Amino acid sequence: MADRHPSLRAYLAGALVARTGDDMAGPALLLAALARTGSATGASSLLAAVTVSAAVGGPVLGALLDRAARPGRLLAGALLLYAAGLAVILGGLGRVPFAVTLLVAVVAGLLGPALSGGWTAQLPRVVPGKRLPRANALDAMTFGVAGLAGPALAGGVAEASGASTAVVVAAVLIAAAAPAAWRLPAPAGPVATPAGPVATPAGPVATPAGPVATPAESVATARPAPMTGLVASGVRAVLGSPPLARATLTSVLSCAAQGLMIACLPLLGERALGGAGFGAALLSGAALSALAANAILARHPRAVAPDTVLWAAPLLQAAALALATTGRPVALVVAVIAVGVAEGPQLTALFAVRHREAPDRLRSQVFTTGASLKITGFAVGAAAAGPLAGWSLPGALLVAAGTAALAAPAFFAVRTADRPARPARPVPRA
């Protein structure tokens, strides 16, 4: 029988299309809100509403994916709903009270982690274990390509056909990835809950004392765990596993440093390169260098251990941010390229650790919870950058460098020593 599961190419194509649409949606919404309302504050509030709610939606979406018999179909539904949410936001701009539009943006943003952690969590079901390291590097590269293509496509379409058309194109790209998600493989075994898989035997359930329950009674008593328990189990899986906990902590600190840096780029471009727009161009340079670094890593996926990359990459990021404080154009370009070289492999290493350590029954929750925490760290860094840059732009960059450098000792602060083995129980005599 021919394998009906999508190949790795189909998986990567779907991920790339969806993530490009997602990276296009943010700038497109910002431009559309500015054009229709004329308020820069309202436009930034709309973008913040779509972004921040992902921190709440990630754990819940991950719990639903882990609970689903066909997670790919649930993922496809999330993509379609997210695309529909973008369309509703666009339709309401300037026509309904802005508070209603913000509420719709918050609800739509809850589904954002489907395009990042929710999709990546399905990768081990697409490729065998031996091919997973290379596939993981290629999956991380889709983020880099989308980060380049999405904003550029949003700006180009907005200039050619208007900001509203850019939002529509973003929604269409996200929805176009739904068929690839729909065909993602199902879990190999029974769907598990925190209490374990639910079994449905063909006859009465027998114990040493004899049969005590029928199949109907077994199914009735083995009820699915409540959603709150599933979400809590995903959080406990991240915090209770030292490798996952330190990988998550390191990535959150790195993302906070990225948020600080990105918020400073327009001012850096204005002061060092002669225009705020050149700051956005620097961001494209970082995405290019991250993509190149991941391309090399995809050819040699086992060259460096993922755990080593997780703590070493933030040190390179910190050094690059410290170099950017000089304000010299050449130093600034080199610094941004170095930041990309650090960020690309670190994302690949983060995915590798999650694939290695996440329990299969909680895999989606581990990925979406981690993605939500990273988004939160990025938002905190970006919010802190405004006051800090107003006080001192080099000071804000030094804070970003210090935040990144803190990731390395934080990595080693989480101990990974094996727990002492439990004493063996005595075997009762016959």
Side-chain angles (χ1 to χ4, degrees):
M1 181 183 293
D3 186 6
R4 295 185 299 173
H5 296 332
S7 64
L8 178 60
R9 291 183 180 179
Y11 168 92
L12 294 173
L16 178 60
V17 170
R19 289 163 182 168
T20 300
D22 187 36
D23 283 331
M24 182 182 180
L29 282 176
L30 193 65
L31 294 172
L34 188 60
R36 291 197 179 185
T37 65
S39 171
T41 302
S44 61
S45 299
L46 181 62
L47 182 60
V50 175
T51 304
V52 172
S53 59
V56 179
V60 177
L61 180 62
L64 291 173
L65 287 171
D66 284 329
R67 201 174 189 176
R70 293 301 301 266
R73 297 183 178 182
L74 178 61
L75 191 61
L79 295 178
L80 292 175
L81 288 175
Y82 187 42
L86 294 177
V88 173
I89 293 171
L90 178 62
L93 278 175
R95 297 185 177 92
V96 299
F98 192 67
V100 176
T101 305
L102 287 178
L103 180 60
V104 175
V106 169
V107 175
L110 294 172
L111 302 170
L115 290 87
S116 54
W119 196 294
T120 300
Q122 313 307 317
L123 183 59
R125 298 176 184 144
V126 178
V127 296
K130 293 182 179 180
R131 295 174 55 196
L132 185 58
R134 180 175 181 273
N136 178 52
L138 294 174
D139 183 40
M141 287 175 63
T142 63
F143 286 92
V145 176
L148 277 173
L153 190 58
V157 174
E159 288 293 330
S161 305
S164 298
T165 305
V167 178
V168 172
V169 173
V172 169
L173 287 175
I174 294 171
W182 183 273
R183 293 191 296 269
L184 287 172
V191 179
T193 66
V198 177
T200 55
V205 179
T207 67
V212 295
T214 63
E217 292 169 346
S218 299
V219 174
T221 56
R223 296 178 179 178
M227 182 57 61
T228 54
L230 286 173
V231 173
S233 65
V235 175
R236 285 196 300 267
V238 174
L239 300 180
S241 168
L244 287 175
R246 68 183 188 178
T248 301
L249 177 59
T250 304
S251 65
V252 169
L253 290 172
S254 296
C255 276
Q258 292 171 22
L260 282 160
M261 182 200 71
I262 290 176
C264 292
L265 282 180
L267 288 175
L268 284 171
E270 184 177 2
R271 297 184 184 182
L273 303 176
F278 291 107
L282 289 174
L283 187 60
S284 297
L288 274 174
S289 60
L291 184 61
N294 271 338
I296 297 173
L297 195 61
R299 295 183 64 88
H300 308 282
R302 293 180 175 86
V304 185
D307 300 271
T308 303
V309 175
L310 279 175
W311 66 262
L315 295 179
L316 176 59
Q317 182 185 14
L321 290 169
L323 178 62
T325 60
T326 61
R328 298 177 180 177
V330 176
L332 186 57
V333 172
V334 172
V336 171
I337 292 175
V339 166
V341 171
E343 290 177 0
Q346 189 190 36
L347 181 62
T348 303
L350 177 63
F351 287 169
V353 171
R354 286 178 181 168
H355 283 307
R356 185 189 70 200
E357 301 292 339
D360 189 61
R361 63 187 180 89
L362 300 174
R363 185 177 301 276
S364 297
Q365 294 178 70
V366 168
F367 273 86
T368 54
T369 300
S372 298
L373 292 173
K374 287 182 62 179
I375 292 171
T376 303
F378 184 91
V380 170
L388 288 173
W391 164 67
S392 170
L393 182 57
L397 292 172
L398 284 176
V399 172
T403 303
L406 186 61
F411 178 90
F412 291 104
V414 181
R415 297 182 179 180
T416 58
D418 295 334
R419 297 179 180 178
R422 295 181 179 180
R425 294 182 180 179
V427 180
R429 295 182 179 179

